[in-house]
Amino acid sequence: MTPRIRARLLDALWLLVLAVYVFAGMPLASFHGDEAMQIYMSHDYATAFIRRAPEQLKVQPPYYIDEDNWLRILNGSVNRYAIGLSWHLAGFTTGDLPPRPGWDWGLSVERNVETGHRPPPALLNASRFSSTLFLALSAGLMFAIGWQFGGRLPAYFMSALYTLNPVILLNGRRAMMEGSLLFFGLLTIFAAILISKMMMQNRGEFETRPYSRSREILLWALLALAGGLTLTSKHSGVVFIAGAWGWILTAVVVKNLSLREKGGGEGSITSLPVTVLKLAAAGVLAVTLFVALSPALWNDVPSRLRDLVEQREGLLQIQVEADPRAPTTLGQRFEGLLVQPFMTPAMHYESLVWDGSPAAAAEIADYMASPLSGLQFGLLLGLPLTLLAGFGLAALVLPRLRPAGGWILGLPAWMLVTAASLLVNPLPWQRYYLPWLPVITVLAGFGLLAAWRGLSTLVRSRRVGET
């Protein structure tokens, strides 16, 4: 067996270990009321794929809170279909699902249990399987993203830091939209990275493989497919799409500026106008896929999209009015960007009603006491990791510490787009910071790589001086 094959087997074993860890903690994860809602709404899977009547899932006004029309227009469909497939394969039927609307937020936790709104453990775990699978696969994507930055060191570090993050683990293991959001969102970012590197390669900075038109088409198709599935997973996934678009645009601008400095530019395969047109085409394809997989939008698409925005705005207003901690100040939002990735414990629920439930408190305590709940960073680990991410951001301007090529300068674009989305969010809910965590994880991994390169350069220079 060659060293290369052994190394690849070790990589595969590492990813398998991460996946086993993700799945091992799934049954222990504390329950969230939105899980019951998602499981209840998974009856749409039966309508679309068992009875083969997706046209019955179309909606139109008026929309009433907690009724099916309202829930369909507000939520992505990937998770509903995935949950439905999971319980279908496990032998459950629609008769086993909780009553409408899945979880009654007007009742106490205990009363919801008494009325059958909390799914039994077997159904809950079956329904969590798909989201947990998406989460495990997203760890593989984080490994692949890390690899693009410099091989195994950032790949192993980023994938470990991502997988062991308690916030990512808790939200991804639940029967909610976050698992598919993270997977398809990171797939969109990964496609953007590969496209950006390809554009730099066209300029001659990367000679590892010759330019291929078919490869370029496949990468742009992947970008469109991943973007459409991200949006279909959860509407807020648009932030991943915008980050990916920003990454590619930044790369092509850097490329053109470099060509201009060198006095070249003629014969460039990818110019800014061409890239914008390609992004527009990918965007159209992504939205088309989103609509195709969202029967709630089929009845007059422009009107339903307007309804989606209006109902989402209305729900946000209700949530802000119901939460005494909201709206947050701009300073609190900046603070959240700093402390949420590594220095804030996992938030198990958003509704303060759960504070009065002894059963919920015990469930949370049991989960957090388990080593399967992730690496509890605290200040001791959280602060150094945050500083490492800051160093990674600073190192982007130092050519000696970053990989060759301007493609990596798209990373700040992803970061800025995600940060901007959170600075306009008035809710102090940790779940909304979930798209921010992969960004900071990548920055921390790049910070480690930059520090290693800087240290290696220093050691080599001292050795040369001594000789």
Side-chain angles (χ1 to χ4, degrees), residues 19 33 54 57 164 175 266 276 298 312 319 341 376 401 432 458:
L57 303 179
L164 294 176
E266 295 298 326
V276 170
W298 291 356
R312 177 58 60 184
Q319 291 169 332
Q376 310 305 320
L401 297 182
Y432 287 6
L458 180 62

Side-chain angles (χ1 to χ4, degrees), residues 294-345:
S294 306
L297 304 176
W298 291 356
N299 182 17
D300 188 356
V301 174
S303 296
R304 298 295 79 79
L305 287 173
R306 184 172 59 252
D307 291 346
L308 187 158
V309 174
E310 291 175 352
Q311 293 302 313
R312 177 58 60 184
E313 290 176 347
L315 176 61
L316 179 61
Q317 186 61 38
I318 293 172
Q319 291 169 332
V320 169
E321 293 175 355
D323 194 327
R325 301 164 296 182
T328 54
T329 66
L330 186 60
Q332 289 173 321
R333 297 171 199 179
F334 272 110
E335 181 184 356
L337 293 176
L338 184 65
V339 303
Q340 285 290 350
F342 306 123
M343 292 189 285
T344 302

Side-chain angles (χ1 to χ4, degrees), residues 36-37 39-40 94 96-103 116-119 123:
M37 182 271 289
I39 294 171
Y40 162 73
T94 53
D96 298 306
L97 305 183
R100 194 182 62 155
W103 189 260
H117 285 86
R118 172 163 178 158
L123 175 61

Side-chain angles (χ1 to χ4, degrees), residues 221-256:
L222 177 63
L223 182 73
L225 175 65
L229 290 172
T230 301
L231 199 56
T232 312
S233 294
K234 192 172 184 179
H235 302 145
S236 60
V238 68
V239 70
F240 281 104
I241 300 173
W245 265 232
W247 196 312
I248 293 171
L249 286 173
T250 301
V252 76
V253 167
V254 170
K255 169 190 173 181
N256 288 341

Side-chain angles (χ1 to χ4, degrees), residues 444-465:
F446 177 63
L448 177 68
L449 177 64
W452 176 258
R453 285 180 169 173
L455 182 61
S456 299
T457 301
L458 180 62
V459 170
R460 283 197 301 269
S461 62
R462 286 187 174 181
R463 287 177 177 174
V464 171

Side-chain angles (χ1 to χ4, degrees), residues 133-168:
L133 177 61
F134 280 129
L135 177 61
L137 293 174
S138 73
L141 280 173
M142 184 57 73
F143 183 90
I145 289 172
W147 192 278
Q148 301 305 310
F149 282 78
R152 285 187 171 84
L153 175 62
Y156 275 78
F157 181 79
M158 290 183 196
S159 58
L161 188 58
Y162 173 86
T163 305
L164 294 176
N165 191 306
V167 180
I168 291 175

Side-chain angles (χ1 to χ4, degrees), residues 250-455:
T250 301
V252 76
V253 167
V254 170
K255 169 190 173 181
N256 288 341
L257 288 175
S258 178
L259 286 173
R260 184 174 300 177
E261 290 175 359
K262 295 178 180 180
E266 295 298 326
S268 173
I269 294 176
T270 308
S271 66
L272 181 58
V274 171
T275 302
V276 170
L277 288 175
K278 290 177 180 178
L279 284 172
V284 169
L285 291 173
V287 172
T288 301
L289 179 60
F290 165 58
V291 172
L293 295 176
S294 306
L297 304 176
W298 291 356
N299 182 17
D300 188 356
V301 174
S303 296
R304 298 295 79 79
L305 287 173
R306 184 172 59 252
D307 291 346
L308 187 158
V309 174
E310 291 175 352
Q311 293 302 313
R312 177 58 60 184
E313 290 176 347
L315 176 61
L316 179 61
Q317 186 61 38
I318 293 172
Q319 291 169 332
V320 169
E321 293 175 355
D323 194 327
R325 301 164 296 182
T328 54
T329 66
L330 186 60
Q332 289 173 321
R333 297 171 199 179
F334 272 110
E335 181 184 356
L337 293 176
L338 184 65
V339 303
Q340 285 290 350
F342 306 123
M343 292 189 285
T344 302
M347 177 185 286
H348 291 257
Y349 53 81
E350 295 78 29
S351 175
L352 299 181
V353 173
W354 287 60
D355 281 341
S357 171
E363 187 176 47
I364 291 170
D366 289 343
Y367 176 70
M368 295 305 294
S370 170
L372 297 174
S373 63
L375 183 60
Q376 310 305 320
F377 301 115
L379 190 62
L380 185 62
L381 290 178
L383 181 58
L385 287 171
T386 303
L387 293 175
L388 193 60
F391 178 71
L393 181 61
L396 287 171
V397 301
L398 302 175
R400 290 186 178 182
L401 297 182
R402 68 173 187 247
W407 66 270
I408 197 175
L409 295 177
L411 176 55
W414 179 25
M415 182 195 72
L416 290 174
V417 166
T418 310
S421 71
L422 291 168
L423 290 177
V424 299
N425 171 38
L427 289 169
W429 295 359
Q430 190 179 62
R431 199 169 12 142
Y432 287 6
Y433 283 86
L434 210 58
W436 178 242
L437 271 54
V439 181
I440 301 304
T441 299
V442 171
L443 279 171
F446 177 63
L448 177 68
L449 177 64
W452 176 258
R453 285 180 169 173
L455 182 61

